[in-house]
Amino acid sequence: MATESRGRKLSIHVVTWNVASAAPPLDLDDLLQLNNQNLNLDMYVIGLQEMNCGIMSLLSDTAFEDPWSSFFMDVLSPLSFVKVSCVRMQGLLLLVFAKDQHLPFTQILSTKSTPTGLFGYWGNKGGINICLKLYGYYVSIINCHLPPHMANNDQRLEHFDRILEMQTFEGHDIPNILDHDLILWFGDMNFRIEDLGLHYVRESIKNQCYSDLWQKDQLSTAKRCDPLLREFQEGPLLFPPTYKFDKNSNNYDTSEKKRKPAWTDRILWRLKRQPPTGSHTARLLAPHFCLSLKSYISHMMYTISDHKPVTGTFDLELKPLVSAPLITLQPEGLWTSEDMLLSYSLTQGFISSFWDWIGLYKVGFRHINDYVSYAWVRDNEVSFSDGLNQVYINIGDIPETEDQFLLCYYSNNLRSVVGISSPFKIQRHAFLEKDPLGEAQPQI
């Protein structure tokens, strides 16, 4: 990666998949592009629709991680990706993973669910949103499931507008979503191919002649007429329509209904409107935030659903508005069999809270609550001076290991990790006196 002064490039992989209540397959390497040696990803953004949302499944997922979230964490955490946020509304799930080095620059501002089913009271359709700050820039991520069927195009567009209008952030100093630097919007949008007959559509797909189908795609048609929708960009549809397939096959619908294939599963993005500039100033305004699409494909190998998953890989080039973490922390190398000492310093203007805490994690941790030990910052402070603070953290229950560890500082006010240490190994030495921790455990 480039240095902050010259800008930074983040590679983001977006996944959308209507999984039709199926459990995760055994292998998702192709979906996550894990076999692509030329791809050095920084973030994963994953949106699923039609997860199993029967009453027993929902109760189980409330008490434990749902099977899909667990699967993604199992696969991605050994690669140093941490789940930084998630939101679920019935069958809709949205997950954001980031490499651990980006955690201090990824601030979760808000999560929101917008049901549009049953006159806005039922969450089988609608959208879910994660709003975050990424290196100081506002980013909104929306996963949606819009109404089905050919005849419901107007309703789909109405729900699209309603989801957008409902993305208000009351009680937060967050600008209107249309003033965010980036909106990523994806999901099972259910747009269909109009006018053309089933035989013609299937023959066009067989011959990979998609241009006539693009012209009749309802979303493409709507963008030509709707100025706001036109602001959302999409990559070229160079892959076969992703719906509707017979499950466990690559055959389009052979049931009695014989539904016409369609590109129901889409990934859109919108960059913040830039104020108009005269030709004399255009050269002075260097692009500080630029998104480019590197790949937009479907993954035909997965057959558990009647939809094929779609992925988009993006390069986000930006000049960080925040280039240094709010907290820097490190172990001091002073250990006993029970405790270790660490030090941290705060940037000017950072407001700490009594509920701030520092977690000790194994490298490859899954999410922020996956700590092996912790310390409340104020309760366990042993010394402080101008700009430097020292805290002890209990390591008595951690067995001798060659594993590497990280320290993360969690800000309760910002609801995010604001500092992370370099990896280190725990090496115990008789140096410090034991002082037990309290019983309360931090959870977010």
Side-chain angles (χ1 to χ4, degrees):
M1 285 187 183
T3 61
E4 284 80 5
S5 61
R6 295 184 179 180
R8 182 178 283 272
K9 183 169 74 173
L10 304 178
S11 185
I12 303 172
H13 191 63
V14 179
V15 176
T16 179
W17 194 3
N18 182 321
V19 297
S21 298
L26 295 176
D27 183 354
L28 286 177
D29 286 4
D30 186 70
L31 183 75
L32 300 174
Q33 295 290 282
L34 298 182
N35 295 325
N36 188 340
Q37 301 298 320
N38 298 319
L39 201 58
N40 184 20
L41 291 169
D42 296 280
M43 297 184 72
Y44 281 94
V45 176
I46 301 170
L48 304 181
Q49 307 87 40
E50 287 195 23
M51 286 179 56
N52 188 346
C53 57
I55 185 64
M56 293 306 296
S57 176
L58 285 175
L59 287 173
S60 174
D61 294 349
T62 300
F64 309 99
E65 290 282 359
D66 67 88
W68 282 94
S69 295
S70 292
F71 188 96
F72 286 123
M73 285 188 286
D74 288 344
V75 172
L76 295 176
S77 61
L79 304 175
S80 297
F81 286 94
V82 180
K83 186 185 76 173
V84 295
S85 187
C86 69
V87 58
R88 181 169 181 186
M89 180 179 70
Q90 289 182 221
L92 281 168
L93 176 69
L94 178 57
L95 300 164
V96 175
F97 290 85
K99 277 277 182 74
D100 54 26
Q101 69 202 63
H102 302 300
L103 294 184
F105 308 101
T106 307
Q107 181 188 349
I108 304 303
L109 300 176
S110 172
T111 60
K112 188 176 181 68
S113 301
T114 306
T116 59
L118 197 63
F119 308 104
Y121 291 99
W122 191 243
N124 64 323
K125 296 292 184 290
I128 50 179
N129 168 273
I130 293 174
C131 175
L132 55 88
K133 259 187 170 181
L134 185 62
Y135 286 91
Y137 293 91
Y138 287 97
V139 177
S140 267
I141 303 167
I142 300 174
N143 173 27
C144 74
H145 194 184
L146 302 182
H149 307 309
M150 179 74 72
N152 289 335
N153 192 41
D154 288 344
Q155 190 180 16
R156 276 188 283 278
L157 295 172
E158 178 189 326
H159 284 207
F160 190 98
D161 289 341
R162 190 186 310 169
I163 292 169
L164 194 60
E165 290 169 2
M166 293 297 290
Q167 303 311 309
T168 55
F169 308 100
E170 298 173 3
H172 300 279
D173 186 21
I174 304 173
N176 182 281
I177 189 170
L178 294 178
D179 291 320
H180 289 188
D181 298 285
L182 172 64
I183 302 172
L184 284 170
W185 192 326
F186 49 86
D188 179 2
M189 299 188 179
N190 260 319
F191 290 106
R192 307 304 167 103
I193 297 171
E194 289 188 321
D195 299 336
L196 303 175
L198 174 63
H199 179 74
Y200 184 89
V201 170
R202 288 194 172 183
E203 282 298 306
S204 297
I205 296 169
K206 181 179 178 182
N207 296 317
Q208 297 185 18
C209 297
Y210 301 132
S211 56
D212 288 346
L213 307 186
W214 299 334
Q215 297 300 316
K216 297 298 182 178
D217 169 68
Q218 289 176 331
L219 177 56
S220 300
T221 301
K223 288 180 69 174
R224 291 194 287 269
C225 305
D226 186 321
L228 180 58
L229 194 56
R230 196 157 53 239
E231 293 180 8
F232 285 87
Q233 302 179 60
E234 183 181 18
L237 297 168
L238 301 178
F239 49 86
T242 53
Y243 174 83
K244 173 180 170 87
F245 290 86
D246 293 337
K247 289 186 180 181
N248 303 310
S249 83
N250 285 324
N251 300 319
Y252 284 105
D253 187 14
T254 60
S255 72
E256 188 176 320
K257 293 183 178 179
K258 287 189 170 57
R259 292 177 181 85
K260 188 163 51 173
W263 286 290
T264 55
D265 309 280
R266 314 290 277 267
I267 299 174
L268 312 178
W269 74 94
R270 177 188 181 274
L271 294 172
K272 181 180 177 180
R273 293 190 193 119
Q274 297 299 320
T277 58
S279 58
H280 63 288
T281 61
R283 295 175 63 87
L284 300 178
L285 296 173
H288 289 168
F289 192 91
C290 178
L291 189 76
S292 56
L293 178 67
K294 297 303 178 183
S295 169
Y296 189 35
I297 60 175
S298 66
H299 298 261
M300 293 290 289
M301 66 181 291
Y302 298 107
T303 62
I304 60 172
S305 169
D306 53 357
H307 290 251
K308 300 298 182 184
V310 172
T311 62
T313 306
F314 298 87
D315 279 348
L316 176 59
E317 297 183 61
L318 55 85
K319 186 173 183 180
L321 302 177
V322 179
S323 57
L326 294 172
I327 299 285
T328 56
L329 69 168
Q330 63 184 24
E332 285 294 346
L334 306 179
W335 324 77
T336 68
S337 60
E338 295 295 324
D339 297 307
M340 61 174 282
L341 187 70
L342 62 95
S343 63
Y344 70 93
S345 58
L346 298 72
T347 58
Q348 188 173 5
F350 175 76
I351 301 175
S352 63
S353 159
F354 279 101
W355 298 105
D356 288 0
W357 50 279
I358 294 172
L360 176 67
Y361 300 85
K362 284 188 177 182
V363 169
F365 66 101
R366 295 156 64 89
H367 50 76
I368 193 61
N369 287 332
D370 194 22
Y371 50 79
V372 295
S373 188
Y374 68 94
W376 297 106
V377 170
R378 299 285 181 88
D379 288 351
N380 296 83
E381 198 166 66
V382 291
S383 68
F384 65 92
S385 59
D386 290 341
L388 184 66
N389 304 266
Q390 291 187 321
V391 172
Y392 62 82
I393 189 168
N394 185 274
I395 57 172
D397 294 330
I398 301 173
E400 295 281 351
T401 176
E402 290 298 310
D403 290 338
Q404 289 196 311
F405 292 81
L406 292 166
L407 294 164
C408 292
Y409 186 111
Y410 183 84
S411 165
N412 187 65
N413 291 334
L414 298 178
R415 298 187 300 165
S416 300
V417 171
V418 293
I420 186 168
S421 73
S422 299
F424 61 91
K425 290 184 178 181
I426 292 179
Q427 299 175 345
R428 292 176 172 85
H429 301 287
F431 202 99
L432 297 178
E433 294 296 326
K434 177 184 175 183
D435 194 351
L437 297 177
E439 296 181 356
Q441 293 191 12
Q443 294 286 330
I444 61 167

